[in-house]
Every structure is written in C-alpha cells, then in structure tokens.
Short mmCIF file of all heavy atoms in Angstrom, two decimals:
data_model
loop_
_atom_site.label_atom_id
_atom_site.label_comp_id
_atom_site.label_asym_id
_atom_site.label_seq_id
_atom_site.Cartn_x
_atom_site.Cartn_y
_atom_site.Cartn_z
N PHE R 103 -2.75 -6.51 3.84
CA PHE R 103 -3.19 -6.89 5.18
C PHE R 103 -3.96 -8.21 5.20
O PHE R 103 -4.31 -8.70 6.25
CB PHE R 103 -4.08 -5.79 5.77
CG PHE R 103 -3.36 -4.48 5.91
CD1 PHE R 103 -3.70 -3.41 5.10
CD2 PHE R 103 -2.33 -4.33 6.82
CE1 PHE R 103 -3.02 -2.22 5.21
CE2 PHE R 103 -1.66 -3.13 6.94
CZ PHE R 103 -2.00 -2.07 6.14
N THR R 104 -4.27 -8.79 4.03
CA THR R 104 -5.10 -9.99 4.00
C THR R 104 -4.43 -11.18 3.36
O THR R 104 -5.05 -12.21 3.17
CB THR R 104 -6.42 -9.71 3.24
OG1 THR R 104 -6.11 -9.32 1.90
CG2 THR R 104 -7.22 -8.62 3.93
N ARG R 105 -3.16 -11.08 2.99
CA ARG R 105 -2.50 -12.22 2.36
C ARG R 105 -2.37 -13.35 3.36
O ARG R 105 -1.96 -13.17 4.49
CB ARG R 105 -1.11 -11.79 1.85
CG ARG R 105 -1.25 -10.88 0.64
CD ARG R 105 0.10 -10.37 0.18
NE ARG R 105 -0.08 -9.63 -1.06
CZ ARG R 105 0.57 -8.52 -1.36
NH1 ARG R 105 1.44 -8.03 -0.53
NH2 ARG R 105 0.36 -7.91 -2.50
N GLN R 106 -2.71 -14.54 2.91
CA GLN R 106 -2.77 -15.69 3.81
C GLN R 106 -1.89 -16.82 3.28
O GLN R 106 -1.44 -16.81 2.13
CB GLN R 106 -4.21 -16.19 3.92
CG GLN R 106 -5.20 -15.15 4.43
CD GLN R 106 -5.09 -14.91 5.92
OE1 GLN R 106 -4.67 -15.82 6.65
NE2 GLN R 106 -5.46 -13.74 6.38
N GLY R 107 -1.68 -17.84 4.13
CA GLY R 107 -1.06 -19.09 3.70
C GLY R 107 0.32 -18.90 3.11
O GLY R 107 1.22 -18.36 3.75
N ASP R 108 0.49 -19.36 1.85
CA ASP R 108 1.79 -19.35 1.20
C ASP R 108 2.25 -17.95 0.86
O ASP R 108 3.40 -17.74 0.52
CB ASP R 108 1.72 -20.20 -0.08
CG ASP R 108 3.06 -20.31 -0.78
OD1 ASP R 108 4.05 -20.58 -0.09
OD2 ASP R 108 3.11 -20.11 -2.01
N PHE R 109 1.36 -16.98 0.95
CA PHE R 109 1.72 -15.63 0.54
C PHE R 109 2.48 -14.92 1.65
O PHE R 109 2.01 -14.78 2.77
CB PHE R 109 0.47 -14.83 0.16
CG PHE R 109 -0.17 -15.34 -1.09
CD1 PHE R 109 -1.34 -16.08 -1.04
CD2 PHE R 109 0.41 -15.09 -2.32
CE1 PHE R 109 -1.92 -16.57 -2.19
CE2 PHE R 109 -0.17 -15.58 -3.48
CZ PHE R 109 -1.33 -16.31 -3.42
N GLU R 110 3.68 -14.49 1.32
CA GLU R 110 4.53 -13.76 2.25
C GLU R 110 4.35 -12.28 1.97
O GLU R 110 4.77 -11.77 0.95
CB GLU R 110 5.99 -14.18 2.03
CG GLU R 110 6.97 -13.54 2.99
CD GLU R 110 8.39 -13.97 2.66
OE1 GLU R 110 8.57 -14.97 1.96
OE2 GLU R 110 9.32 -13.28 3.11
N SER R 111 3.69 -11.56 2.85
CA SER R 111 3.31 -10.18 2.58
C SER R 111 4.54 -9.29 2.45
O SER R 111 5.53 -9.43 3.16
CB SER R 111 2.42 -9.65 3.71
OG SER R 111 2.21 -8.27 3.56
N ASP R 112 4.44 -8.31 1.53
CA ASP R 112 5.52 -7.34 1.39
C ASP R 112 5.50 -6.34 2.54
O ASP R 112 6.37 -5.49 2.64
CB ASP R 112 5.43 -6.60 0.04
CG ASP R 112 4.06 -6.02 -0.22
OD1 ASP R 112 3.08 -6.67 0.16
OD2 ASP R 112 3.97 -4.92 -0.79
N HIS R 113 4.48 -6.42 3.40
CA HIS R 113 4.39 -5.55 4.56
C HIS R 113 4.29 -6.38 5.83
O HIS R 113 3.64 -5.97 6.79
CB HIS R 113 3.19 -4.62 4.44
CG HIS R 113 3.33 -3.61 3.34
ND1 HIS R 113 3.85 -2.36 3.55
CD2 HIS R 113 3.06 -3.68 2.02
CE1 HIS R 113 3.86 -1.68 2.41
NE2 HIS R 113 3.39 -2.46 1.46
N SER R 114 4.94 -7.55 5.84
CA SER R 114 4.87 -8.41 7.02
C SER R 114 5.45 -7.66 8.22
O SER R 114 6.49 -7.03 8.15
CB SER R 114 5.65 -9.70 6.78
OG SER R 114 6.96 -9.42 6.36
N GLY R 115 4.76 -7.74 9.34
CA GLY R 115 5.20 -7.06 10.55
C GLY R 115 4.76 -5.62 10.63
O GLY R 115 4.98 -4.95 11.64
N TYR R 116 4.11 -5.11 9.57
CA TYR R 116 3.68 -3.71 9.57
C TYR R 116 2.43 -3.56 10.43
O TYR R 116 1.51 -4.35 10.35
CB TYR R 116 3.40 -3.25 8.14
CG TYR R 116 2.81 -1.85 8.05
CD1 TYR R 116 3.58 -0.74 8.40
CD2 TYR R 116 1.51 -1.66 7.63
CE1 TYR R 116 3.06 0.53 8.31
CE2 TYR R 116 0.97 -0.38 7.53
CZ TYR R 116 1.76 0.71 7.87
OH TYR R 116 1.23 1.97 7.78
N VAL R 117 2.41 -2.55 11.25
CA VAL R 117 1.26 -2.27 12.11
C VAL R 117 0.69 -0.92 11.70
O VAL R 117 1.42 0.07 11.63
CB VAL R 117 1.66 -2.25 13.60
CG1 VAL R 117 0.46 -1.91 14.46
CG2 VAL R 117 2.26 -3.59 14.00
N ARG R 118 -0.61 -0.87 11.45
CA ARG R 118 -1.23 0.39 11.07
C ARG R 118 -1.03 1.43 12.17
O ARG R 118 -1.24 1.15 13.35
CB ARG R 118 -2.73 0.20 10.85
CG ARG R 118 -3.11 -0.33 9.47
CD ARG R 118 -4.62 -0.27 9.32
NE ARG R 118 -5.08 -0.80 8.06
CZ ARG R 118 -5.12 -0.09 6.94
NH1 ARG R 118 -4.70 1.16 6.93
NH2 ARG R 118 -5.57 -0.63 5.82
N PRO R 119 -0.61 2.65 11.80
CA PRO R 119 -0.45 3.70 12.82
C PRO R 119 -1.81 4.17 13.33
O PRO R 119 -2.84 3.94 12.70
CB PRO R 119 0.28 4.82 12.07
CG PRO R 119 -0.10 4.60 10.63
CD PRO R 119 -0.24 3.12 10.47
N LEU R 120 -1.79 4.84 14.48
CA LEU R 120 -3.02 5.41 15.00
C LEU R 120 -3.53 6.48 14.05
O LEU R 120 -2.74 7.16 13.38
CB LEU R 120 -2.77 6.02 16.39
CG LEU R 120 -2.37 5.03 17.49
CD1 LEU R 120 -1.99 5.78 18.76
CD2 LEU R 120 -3.52 4.06 17.76
N PRO R 121 -4.84 6.65 13.94
CA PRO R 121 -5.39 7.68 13.04
C PRO R 121 -4.94 9.08 13.46
O PRO R 121 -5.25 9.54 14.56
CB PRO R 121 -6.90 7.51 13.20
CG PRO R 121 -7.10 6.14 13.76
CD PRO R 121 -5.90 5.88 14.62
N VAL R 122 -4.17 9.70 12.60
CA VAL R 122 -3.71 11.08 12.82
C VAL R 122 -3.78 11.80 11.48
O VAL R 122 -3.92 11.16 10.44
CB VAL R 122 -2.26 11.13 13.35
CG1 VAL R 122 -2.17 10.49 14.74
CG2 VAL R 122 -1.31 10.44 12.39
N PRO R 123 -3.69 13.13 11.47
CA PRO R 123 -3.65 13.83 10.18
C PRO R 123 -2.54 13.28 9.31
O PRO R 123 -1.49 12.86 9.81
CB PRO R 123 -3.38 15.29 10.59
CG PRO R 123 -3.93 15.39 11.97
CD PRO R 123 -3.67 14.05 12.61
N ARG R 124 -2.77 13.24 8.01
CA ARG R 124 -1.82 12.60 7.09
C ARG R 124 -0.43 13.23 7.23
O ARG R 124 -0.25 14.43 7.07
CB ARG R 124 -2.32 12.69 5.66
CG ARG R 124 -3.48 11.73 5.42
CD ARG R 124 -3.93 11.70 3.99
NE ARG R 124 -4.83 10.59 3.76
CZ ARG R 124 -6.14 10.63 4.01
NH1 ARG R 124 -6.67 11.73 4.49
NH2 ARG R 124 -6.90 9.58 3.80
N SER R 125 0.54 12.38 7.51
CA SER R 125 1.90 12.83 7.74
C SER R 125 2.81 11.63 7.57
O SER R 125 2.37 10.55 7.17
CB SER R 125 2.04 13.38 9.17
OG SER R 125 1.87 12.33 10.11
N LEU R 126 4.10 11.79 7.88
CA LEU R 126 5.04 10.68 7.76
C LEU R 126 4.73 9.56 8.75
O LEU R 126 5.29 8.48 8.66
CB LEU R 126 6.47 11.17 7.97
CG LEU R 126 7.10 11.91 6.78
CD1 LEU R 126 8.50 12.38 7.13
CD2 LEU R 126 7.15 11.00 5.57
N ASN R 127 3.88 9.83 9.72
CA ASN R 127 3.53 8.80 10.70
C ASN R 127 2.15 8.20 10.45
O ASN R 127 1.56 7.61 11.34
CB ASN R 127 3.59 9.40 12.11
CG ASN R 127 4.98 9.85 12.45
OD1 ASN R 127 5.94 9.16 12.15
ND2 ASN R 127 5.10 11.02 13.05
N SER R 128 1.61 8.38 9.24
CA SER R 128 0.28 7.86 8.97
C SER R 128 0.25 7.19 7.60
O SER R 128 1.18 7.32 6.81
CB SER R 128 -0.74 9.00 9.00
OG SER R 128 -0.59 9.83 7.85
N ASP R 129 -0.83 6.47 7.33
CA ASP R 129 -1.09 5.98 5.98
C ASP R 129 -1.72 7.13 5.20
O ASP R 129 -2.64 7.79 5.69
CB ASP R 129 -2.07 4.81 6.01
CG ASP R 129 -1.44 3.56 6.61
OD1 ASP R 129 -0.21 3.43 6.52
OD2 ASP R 129 -2.18 2.74 7.17
N ILE R 130 -1.24 7.40 3.97
CA ILE R 130 -1.78 8.52 3.20
C ILE R 130 -2.59 8.07 2.01
O ILE R 130 -3.12 8.88 1.27
CB ILE R 130 -0.66 9.46 2.72
CG1 ILE R 130 0.28 8.73 1.76
CG2 ILE R 130 0.08 10.07 3.88
CD1 ILE R 130 1.32 9.64 1.12
N SER R 131 -2.68 6.75 1.80
CA SER R 131 -3.46 6.24 0.67
C SER R 131 -4.93 6.58 0.86
O SER R 131 -5.53 6.27 1.88
CB SER R 131 -3.28 4.73 0.56
OG SER R 131 -4.25 4.18 -0.30
N TYR R 132 -5.52 7.23 -0.11
CA TYR R 132 -6.93 7.59 -0.04
C TYR R 132 -7.83 6.42 -0.39
O TYR R 132 -8.85 6.18 0.22
CB TYR R 132 -7.23 8.74 -1.01
CG TYR R 132 -7.35 10.09 -0.33
CD1 TYR R 132 -6.22 10.85 -0.08
CD2 TYR R 132 -8.59 10.59 0.05
CE1 TYR R 132 -6.32 12.09 0.52
CE2 TYR R 132 -8.70 11.83 0.66
CZ TYR R 132 -7.56 12.58 0.90
OH TYR R 132 -7.68 13.79 1.50
N PHE R 133 -7.46 5.69 -1.45
CA PHE R 133 -8.39 4.72 -2.01
C PHE R 133 -7.99 3.28 -1.75
O PHE R 133 -8.81 2.38 -1.91
CB PHE R 133 -8.51 4.95 -3.52
CG PHE R 133 -8.89 6.35 -3.88
CD1 PHE R 133 -8.03 7.16 -4.57
CD2 PHE R 133 -10.13 6.86 -3.50
CE1 PHE R 133 -8.38 8.46 -4.89
CE2 PHE R 133 -10.49 8.15 -3.82
CZ PHE R 133 -9.61 8.97 -4.51
N GLY R 134 -6.74 3.03 -1.40
CA GLY R 134 -6.31 1.67 -1.12
C GLY R 134 -6.34 0.76 -2.34
O GLY R 134 -6.52 -0.44 -2.21
N VAL R 135 -6.16 1.33 -3.54
CA VAL R 135 -6.24 0.50 -4.74
C VAL R 135 -4.90 -0.15 -5.06
O VAL R 135 -4.81 -0.98 -5.95
CB VAL R 135 -6.72 1.32 -5.97
CG1 VAL R 135 -8.13 1.79 -5.74
CG2 VAL R 135 -5.79 2.49 -6.24
N GLY R 136 -3.85 0.23 -4.35
CA GLY R 136 -2.59 -0.49 -4.49
C GLY R 136 -1.60 0.13 -5.48
O GLY R 136 -1.97 0.89 -6.36
N GLY R 137 -0.34 -0.27 -5.30
CA GLY R 137 0.73 0.27 -6.12
C GLY R 137 0.63 -0.06 -7.58
O GLY R 137 0.97 0.74 -8.45
N LYS R 138 0.15 -1.27 -7.90
CA LYS R 138 0.09 -1.66 -9.32
C LYS R 138 -0.90 -0.80 -10.09
O LYS R 138 -0.62 -0.34 -11.18
CB LYS R 138 -0.30 -3.14 -9.43
CG LYS R 138 0.75 -4.08 -8.89
CD LYS R 138 0.26 -5.50 -8.86
CE LYS R 138 -0.88 -5.71 -7.88
NZ LYS R 138 -0.55 -5.37 -6.49
N GLN R 139 -2.06 -0.57 -9.49
CA GLN R 139 -3.04 0.28 -10.17
C GLN R 139 -2.52 1.70 -10.30
O GLN R 139 -2.74 2.37 -11.30
CB GLN R 139 -4.37 0.26 -9.42
CG GLN R 139 -5.14 -1.04 -9.63
CD GLN R 139 -6.54 -0.95 -9.08
OE1 GLN R 139 -6.72 -0.65 -7.92
NE2 GLN R 139 -7.53 -1.22 -9.90
N ALA R 140 -1.82 2.17 -9.27
CA ALA R 140 -1.25 3.51 -9.32
C ALA R 140 -0.22 3.61 -10.45
O ALA R 140 -0.20 4.58 -11.21
CB ALA R 140 -0.60 3.86 -7.99
N VAL R 141 0.62 2.58 -10.57
CA VAL R 141 1.64 2.57 -11.62
C VAL R 141 1.01 2.63 -13.00
O VAL R 141 1.39 3.45 -13.84
CB VAL R 141 2.53 1.32 -11.50
CG1 VAL R 141 3.33 1.10 -12.78
CG2 VAL R 141 3.47 1.44 -10.31
N PHE R 142 0.03 1.77 -13.24
CA PHE R 142 -0.55 1.70 -14.57
C PHE R 142 -1.54 2.84 -14.84
O PHE R 142 -1.93 3.06 -15.98
CB PHE R 142 -1.21 0.33 -14.80
CG PHE R 142 -0.20 -0.77 -14.96
CD1 PHE R 142 -0.06 -1.76 -14.03
CD2 PHE R 142 0.65 -0.77 -16.07
CE1 PHE R 142 0.90 -2.76 -14.19
CE2 PHE R 142 1.60 -1.76 -16.22
CZ PHE R 142 1.73 -2.76 -15.29
N PHE R 143 -1.91 3.56 -13.81
CA PHE R 143 -2.67 4.79 -14.01
C PHE R 143 -1.74 5.88 -14.55
O PHE R 143 -2.11 6.67 -15.41
CB PHE R 143 -3.31 5.25 -12.70
CG PHE R 143 -4.07 6.55 -12.82
CD1 PHE R 143 -5.35 6.55 -13.32
CD2 PHE R 143 -3.49 7.75 -12.44
CE1 PHE R 143 -6.06 7.75 -13.43
CE2 PHE R 143 -4.19 8.94 -12.55
CZ PHE R 143 -5.48 8.94 -13.06
N VAL R 144 -0.50 5.89 -14.04
CA VAL R 144 0.48 6.91 -14.44
C VAL R 144 1.18 6.53 -15.74
O VAL R 144 1.42 7.37 -16.60
CB VAL R 144 1.53 7.11 -13.31
CG1 VAL R 144 2.62 8.07 -13.75
CG2 VAL R 144 0.84 7.61 -12.05
N GLY R 145 1.55 5.25 -15.89
CA GLY R 145 2.34 4.84 -17.05
C GLY R 145 1.99 3.43 -17.50
O GLY R 145 0.91 2.92 -17.22
N GLN R 146 2.94 2.78 -18.18
CA GLN R 146 2.66 1.47 -18.78
C GLN R 146 3.60 0.37 -18.31
O GLN R 146 3.53 -0.75 -18.82
CB GLN R 146 2.72 1.59 -20.31
CG GLN R 146 1.65 2.50 -20.87
CD GLN R 146 1.61 2.49 -22.39
OE1 GLN R 146 2.49 1.95 -23.03
NE2 GLN R 146 0.58 3.09 -22.95
N SER R 147 4.48 0.67 -17.37
CA SER R 147 5.35 -0.39 -16.85
C SER R 147 5.81 -0.04 -15.44
O SER R 147 5.81 1.13 -15.05
CB SER R 147 6.57 -0.61 -17.77
OG SER R 147 7.41 0.53 -17.75
N ALA R 148 6.18 -1.07 -14.70
CA ALA R 148 6.69 -0.89 -13.34
C ALA R 148 7.97 -1.69 -13.19
O ALA R 148 8.06 -2.83 -13.64
CB ALA R 148 5.65 -1.37 -12.33
N ARG R 149 8.95 -1.09 -12.56
CA ARG R 149 10.21 -1.79 -12.24
C ARG R 149 10.47 -1.62 -10.75
O ARG R 149 10.67 -0.51 -10.27
CB ARG R 149 11.37 -1.19 -13.05
CG ARG R 149 12.71 -1.91 -12.81
CD ARG R 149 13.83 -1.24 -13.61
NE ARG R 149 13.54 -1.29 -15.03
CZ ARG R 149 13.91 -2.29 -15.84
NH1 ARG R 149 14.57 -3.31 -15.35
NH2 ARG R 149 13.61 -2.26 -17.12
N MET R 150 10.42 -2.73 -10.04
CA MET R 150 10.65 -2.72 -8.59
C MET R 150 12.05 -3.29 -8.33
O MET R 150 12.34 -4.41 -8.74
CB MET R 150 9.61 -3.58 -7.88
CG MET R 150 8.20 -3.04 -7.96
SD MET R 150 7.88 -1.76 -6.73
CE MET R 150 7.80 -2.73 -5.25
#
C-alpha cells in the first residue's frame, strides 16, 4: 500500500474491503509481515 514512484505495486488498483469478519471478502493477514517473511518462516525458498 506504500510503494511509490518507480515501484509498480503487485496490488495496484486493490482497495481494502470494509472491516468484516475474516472471510473471502476480507483481508485475513494478522500481522502484515508479508509473503516473503511467511515463505522463509515455512521454508527456505520461494518460487512465484
């Protein structure tokens, strides 16, 4: 949500949903630490 300038966000055009109980229509990330940290918490490599 904060990438600026030359950075083209991987979520460009994404609008945060209204606060509702966690479901397919909400954000479910608890900590907001990002996919990379999640990947390296679980394993040792990521392939996108």
Side-chain angles (χ1 to χ4, degrees):
F103 299 110
T104 60
R105 289 176 174 141
Q106 301 284 333
D108 183 47
F109 292 105
E110 182 182 343
S111 172
D112 51 323
H113 292 268
S114 53
Y116 175 67
V117 178
R118 277 188 182 276
L120 295 173
V122 295
R124 287 185 168 83
S125 66
L126 283 178
N127 297 318
S128 72
D129 290 333
I130 63 173
S131 166
Y132 258 85
F133 305 115
V135 295
K138 293 173 294 301
Q139 285 190 305
V141 164
F142 288 113
F143 178 81
V144 175
Q146 296 187 350
S147 67
R149 182 182 300 270
M150 293 278 287

